[in-house]
Amino acid sequence: MTNQDEYFLREAIRLAREGMTTGQGGPFGAVIVRDGEIVGKGCNQVTSTNDPTAHAEVVAIRDACRNLETFQLDGCVLYASCEPCPMCLGAIYWARPSRIVYGAFHSDAAGAGFDDQFIYEELEKARDQRHIPMYQLLRDEADAVFREWISMEDKKRY
């Protein structure tokens, strides 16, 4: 870790506090940095936008991708005020930054009432044992779209 890492992580923490005190959402912030410059930033906006996916990391990823005009964040570092939740971690892996630096542990967030442990537990369960029922239907029809994708010559891979 470097002084630069501390600087950008403090910016993520500042955004967490700012978003919280201005009523945008919970106490979470994130910045995305490439070549020493912030290219995306966000704070939690779940309650102000009525969007359960508007976590700080997702907001920052959307901002960075829009600013960089790309859907991949190669060469970027994501700084988050707290260890990313399972949803954000999935989004981060899809965005492919070089690394993640975070402040608080997810157990610290749980102590403040933001407990995502049940999601980790749900992921370990068989589909038919999860809290929200899941039903599979029309596999052949849905899979046909994947077969069409495979044969497309002009697709943009990601």
Side-chain angles (χ1 to χ4, degrees):
M1 295 292 105
T2 67
N3 288 341
Q4 188 175 27
D5 288 327
E6 290 182 6
Y7 173 82
F8 289 119
L9 185 54
R10 284 192 175 102
E11 179 61 13
I13 294 167
R14 186 193 70 73
L15 285 170
R17 182 173 286 112
E18 179 182 296
M20 174 185 71
T21 59
T22 59
Q24 294 181 63
F28 302 93
V31 296
I32 297 174
V33 175
R34 185 171 74 179
D35 298 327
E37 180 181 332
I38 294 175
V39 295
K41 60 184 177 178
C43 63
N44 182 287
Q45 298 175 4
V46 169
T47 57
S48 62
T49 63
N50 295 318
D51 180 353
T53 69
H55 289 199
E57 297 90 334
V58 173
V59 172
I61 289 168
R62 291 173 181 162
D63 188 42
C65 289
R66 186 173 37 255
N67 291 334
L68 296 173
E69 298 181 344
T70 184
F71 55 86
Q72 303 265 269
L73 297 176
D74 301 327
C76 294
V77 179
L78 186 143
Y79 295 89
S81 63
C82 185
E83 182 178 9
C85 75
M87 178 189 72
C88 291
L89 195 55
I92 291 165
Y93 270 87
W94 280 115
R96 296 180 176 90
S98 299
R99 62 192 177 102
I100 304 164
V101 179
Y102 63 91
F105 286 111
H106 74 269
S107 56
D108 299 323
F114 298 95
D115 192 357
D116 55 10
Q117 185 59 38
F118 76 97
I119 298 173
Y120 293 102
E121 292 168 4
E122 286 287 298
L123 292 173
E124 295 294 321
K125 294 178 182 177
R127 289 181 190 96
D128 63 349
Q129 299 297 313
R130 293 181 180 160
H131 181 73
I132 299 174
M134 295 178 68
Y135 304 98
Q136 189 277 322
L137 190 64
L138 301 176
R139 182 178 182 188
D140 290 340
E141 291 178 39
D143 188 50
V145 180
F146 290 122
R147 290 191 300 272
E148 291 172 33
W149 168 260
I150 291 167
S151 66
M152 280 180 63
E153 293 184 16
D154 61 342
K155 63 184 167 244
K156 189 170 187 176
R157 294 187 183 274
Y158 60 98

